[in-house]
Amino acid sequence: MVRLLGRSWPQSTPRLKGLRARRRPDRPRRAHARRARQTPRHPVEPRGAHDGGHRRGPSAGLRSALGGRSVAGQVFVLQVVIVLLLVVAAVVALVLQVRHDSSEEARNRSLAVAETFANAPGTREALSAPDPTAVLQPRAEAARKQSKVDFIVVMNTDGIRYTHPKPDRIGKMFVGTLEPALEGRSFTENIIGTIGPLVQAVVPVKADDGKVVGLVSAGITTENVGGVADRQLPLLLTAAAAALALALGGTALVSRRLLRQTHGLGPFEMTRMYEHHDAVLHSVREGVLIAGGEGRLLLANDEAHRLLDLPGDAEGRHVLDLGLDADTAGLLASGRVATDEVHLVGDRLLAINQRPTDLQGGPAGSVATLRDSTELRALSGKAELAREHLRLLYDAGVGIGTGLDVTRTAEELAEVAVPRFADFVTVDLADAVLNGEEPEAGTDLRRTAFSGIRKDAPLYPVGERIRFVASTPQARSIGTGEAVVEPHLREAPGWLAQDLERTAQVVEYGIHSLIIVPVRVGHLAMGVVNFWRLEKPEPFDEEELALAEELVARAAVSIDNARRYTREHTMAVTLQRSLLPRNLPEQSALDIAYRYLPAQAGVGGDWFDVLPLSGARVAVVVGDVVGHGLHAAATMGRLRTAVHNFSALDLPPDELLGLLDELVGRIDQDEAAEDSSAAITGATCLYAVYDPTSRQCTVARAGHPPPAVVRPDGSVEFPEVPAGPPLGVGGLPFETAELKLDEGSRLVLYTDGLVEDRERDIDVGLEMLRTALAGADRTPEDTCQGVLNALLPDRPSDDIALIVAGTRALGADRVAEWQVPSDPAAVGEVRASVTRQLTEWDLDDLAFATELMLSELVTNAIRYGNGPIQVRMLRDRVLICEVFDGSSTSPHLRYAASTDEGGRGLFLVAQLAERWGTRYTPAGKVIWTEQPLP
């Protein structure tokens, strides 16, 4: 069907033949006018389209089809009748065939049974026996039952029966024809015997000399023969019913489709619709041509005759013989697809659209429509140019500012404008804009972006700093804030004065026209954009200048947004880095390597720290504050400071996390008090303390990913450390895990940005981390780099903190311990032992101060503490002295009055030691001191 003015035009051959009889456009069309007056002004609405103002459903349409009033209904009824007749004929033929086959099968079986019994061993001998019946009757009955025939009768040549299924019939005359058998031939026949209508076979029993000595007959009654057919009849009827149902279903579907195609119209309505379509076709002001597959014109309406000046007998002739110009005739004869293809026919510009008619299985050929576009052609160029400009502005709005990077935004502006608006585009911005600052007044700019149809243009390269002289249009544009157009660069002395050698190369290269637009947002002038023309001979005009201003104005907002983001991001990164450790403290327990990478999109709250503790122990902590930006960085700084303070108390990891949890809860309360819409802070943390004397590592975590341990043999494991809730949740305690680490192991702590992102699940990330960590004899520094090479995404969406700590052990030769009884006399023994140990360590210079401090501490432990009491000295980077006792009472440093007898011991210890303090253990407390080694 060909869609014409919203109607369907059928391409059937009879209709086309009728249309060929149309009069020429200059002849009166009285017959058509009379027919038009006899029909309604408007085409009738197709039946089934509406029903009471509501759309009719499929069931209503199907009922309409079955009603027989529409074309679809009549076709449906005719198909049903044909199907019924075919099914009845098939059933009758099948029944007759089955009966014939059953009867033939009965004849064959009867004959086979009779011949088999006649030729069976002993049958001929039994006929000459004194009592043939006694011998043959049992055999005949057994054979009858086995072969499933109704009877086997053995008789003499006179027809007297020797056997019969009914014994009372033995000795009586056989009912049937015997002559062919007596002549030595076997035969079958249908008769009415003593047991009813039947099919029987009679076979002669011959002696060795060929003489017939007896006869054998076997048969099946007609009742049993017909029973086979009767038993098959239900199956046949069932199959026929199924076939009928399938056929009716298929017919209903076909009729339903035909109903949709004809819109439920009847024959009269379809005829009237075709007449109306015919009237519309010849009255529209658009030419319509229909050509057959061989290129012959099948139909041309009145407008086509007028536009192409076709002869009156055009229908039926080949389109190449109609006197058209070669291009137009070739298009109509080819049948190819054409869309608004303009051809000059006489003094008219015709827009031709053509489509083949066989795309959906229709007849071969093509349909072409002709539209006179002579008057519109003059305006089409400007309209197309305006559409292109609008499309360019739309693409600029979508393609510029996709990120928050100043340089990339400038590059997007240059890429959008080339080659659709200019052949080359350069963007020059102030250095302050690239750094996120507000530029000062001046003409010193840096070439930030370049895009062009060629790469060898003699323009300033990207990255070069340019100082525009005052006479250049760039300097005027920056000063006045207005766009400037230089239509002819060869005649622009101000631009030529910028760089005589380079500008001469530009002109010689062929660039001849330039538009300069300042990049401004409000009063802020950030740079200029230069649009250069090479290939088009026409210079830039005022209309293109307006387009360039609009294009740059849209891009300037994105550039300013990127500048502001750069400034805020730089501030946040600066704050964040100032809050992170710049140098790790010196300690001997762990060999530390670390990496910290801020996110590309914005700073976050990831942090880490290494904290030396008393007793040569070291604490390693890593954490992550939820969110990004300055708030997250500031919160991270507060938490890091709190960890420093809490670690000075020598708290166990679980108690330290509990204090951090309370701190985060108070921060959340403060935020909620200031702004009810503020987000809850929340953070995760992992805190580990390693003791090199026992090689014991105590770990606790608050919602943080578990640590990884690389054993000296290169195997990797993730220890089971109780997770605990994130900081700020509150209400739940934290638990610790004790890890025994061999010397040379590597303890790996990290934040979730390393193992998890939008495209990678954390389980996958942990397996990748395991693979990257595996391997022996690798330094912590090599391990850090290997992990980042394997797991670092191209553009991290979250901060990444990674710490690899190689464990060291404090050897037994650097540790000295003594058990001290609760007796003041033992203080002297402690002093002597300490002096000997210091002499062994070549630390005699520290003997006096160490003896004095330990004497005071041991005396206080004996006097005020509980047993057991233990003294330990560690030789590390400093000399560490520790006194253990079972009391939890903490000593306090104070100034003793002149009348006090005591209270000066701790003051003396504080003066002699570089650092001192107290830490608590499950069994009591430890007072420790540190002295620098000489």
Side-chain angles (χ1 to χ4, degrees), residues 647-686:
S647 66
L649 301 176
D650 266 329
L651 296 176
D654 54 340
E655 295 183 17
L656 187 142
L657 291 182
L659 295 176
L660 282 181
D661 182 60
E662 295 179 4
L663 175 62
V664 173
R666 289 195 296 271
I667 294 175
D668 289 342
Q669 293 176 2
D670 294 342
E671 293 291 340
E674 292 181 5
D675 185 1
S676 59
S677 63
I680 300 299
T681 303
T684 65
C685 183
L686 188 149

Side-chain angles (χ1 to χ4, degrees), residues 666-751:
R666 289 195 296 271
I667 294 175
D668 289 342
Q669 293 176 2
D670 294 342
E671 293 291 340
E674 292 181 5
D675 185 1
S676 59
S677 63
I680 300 299
T681 303
T684 65
C685 183
L686 188 149
Y687 189 83
V689 177
Y690 175 69
D691 188 348
T693 61
S694 62
R695 293 182 283 106
Q696 197 79 12
C697 184
T698 305
V699 185
R701 62 187 179 114
H704 202 81
V709 175
V710 185
R711 298 297 180 182
D713 60 358
S715 61
V716 181
E717 63 181 27
F718 293 93
E720 291 291 338
V721 179
L727 299 177
V729 175
L732 295 176
F734 298 95
E735 301 180 62
T736 60
E738 299 289 339
L739 308 179
K740 191 73 171 181
L741 302 180
D742 297 331
E743 186 175 9
S745 299
R746 282 165 285 166
L747 180 66
V748 182
L749 281 65
Y750 52 91
T751 56

Side-chain angles (χ1 to χ4, degrees), residues 41 73 122 124 155 207 291 309 331 351 449 537 586 631 638 667 786 798:
R41 182 179 302 270
R124 185 175 57 189
M155 66 196 86
D309 194 19
L331 171 62
E586 295 183 356
H631 176 73
R638 298 171 70 177
I667 294 175
D798 195 4

Side-chain angles (χ1 to χ4, degrees), residues 124-374:
R124 185 175 57 189
E125 289 77 6
L127 289 173
S128 60
D131 188 1
T133 298
V135 177
L136 295 176
Q137 178 67 11
R139 296 182 183 178
E141 285 303 298
R144 178 183 66 82
K145 294 178 181 179
Q146 186 174 2
S147 60
K148 296 182 180 180
V149 294
D150 290 326
F151 66 88
I152 296 178
V153 174
V154 183
M155 66 196 86
N156 59 18
T157 56
D158 295 329
I160 302 300
R161 301 187 184 98
Y162 291 143
T163 65
H164 198 279
K166 296 180 179 180
D168 59 342
R169 308 288 174 87
I170 296 174
K172 295 183 180 180
M173 190 67 182
F174 174 74
V175 178
T177 304
L178 301 179
E179 286 74 11
L182 292 176
E183 294 176 358
R185 293 184 291 107
S186 300
F187 71 97
T188 60
E189 62 180 346
N190 295 337
I191 65 167
I192 299 177
T194 58
I195 59 176
L198 52 87
V199 177
Q200 66 181 7
V202 181
V203 177
V205 179
K206 298 180 181 180
D208 293 337
D209 57 359
K211 181 180 179 182
V212 177
V213 297
L215 303 174
V216 176
S217 177
I220 300 175
T221 61
T222 305
E223 179 181 359
N224 290 335
V225 173
V228 175
D230 294 340
R231 286 191 298 272
Q232 294 182 352
L233 186 59
L235 178 61
L236 294 176
L237 294 177
T238 302
L244 179 61
L246 291 175
L248 289 177
T251 301
L253 292 177
V254 172
S255 299
R256 183 175 178 179
R257 181 174 180 84
L258 182 60
L259 180 67
R260 287 199 305 268
Q261 296 294 330
T262 60
H263 301 287
L265 297 176
F268 172 74
E269 293 168 331
M270 291 187 69
T271 301
R272 186 167 54 182
M273 181 185 69
Y274 283 132
E275 291 176 348
H276 287 178
H277 283 189
D278 185 24
V280 171
L281 177 66
H282 286 280
S283 62
V284 295
R285 303 303 296 172
E286 185 168 308
V288 178
L289 295 174
I290 301 179
E294 69 283 358
R296 294 190 176 278
L297 183 63
L298 302 179
L299 180 144
N301 70 344
D302 297 347
E303 184 69 6
H305 275 273
R306 185 183 70 83
L307 295 176
L308 298 177
D309 194 19
L310 297 177
D313 58 347
E315 285 86 353
R317 296 172 57 182
H318 200 282
V319 293
L320 298 178
D321 301 332
L322 299 178
L324 303 175
D325 63 281
D327 291 341
T328 305
L331 171 62
L332 298 177
S334 66
R336 63 178 174 86
V337 175
T339 301
D340 287 338
E341 191 170 308
V342 178
H343 287 254
L344 179 62
V345 179
D347 57 349
R348 297 186 179 94
L349 287 174
L350 301 183
I352 302 178
N353 291 273
Q354 184 168 264
R355 294 292 184 275
T357 58
D358 56 355
L359 294 179
Q360 303 295 333
S366 61
V367 176
T369 60
L370 315 173
R371 186 176 65 256
D372 191 353
S373 60
T374 305

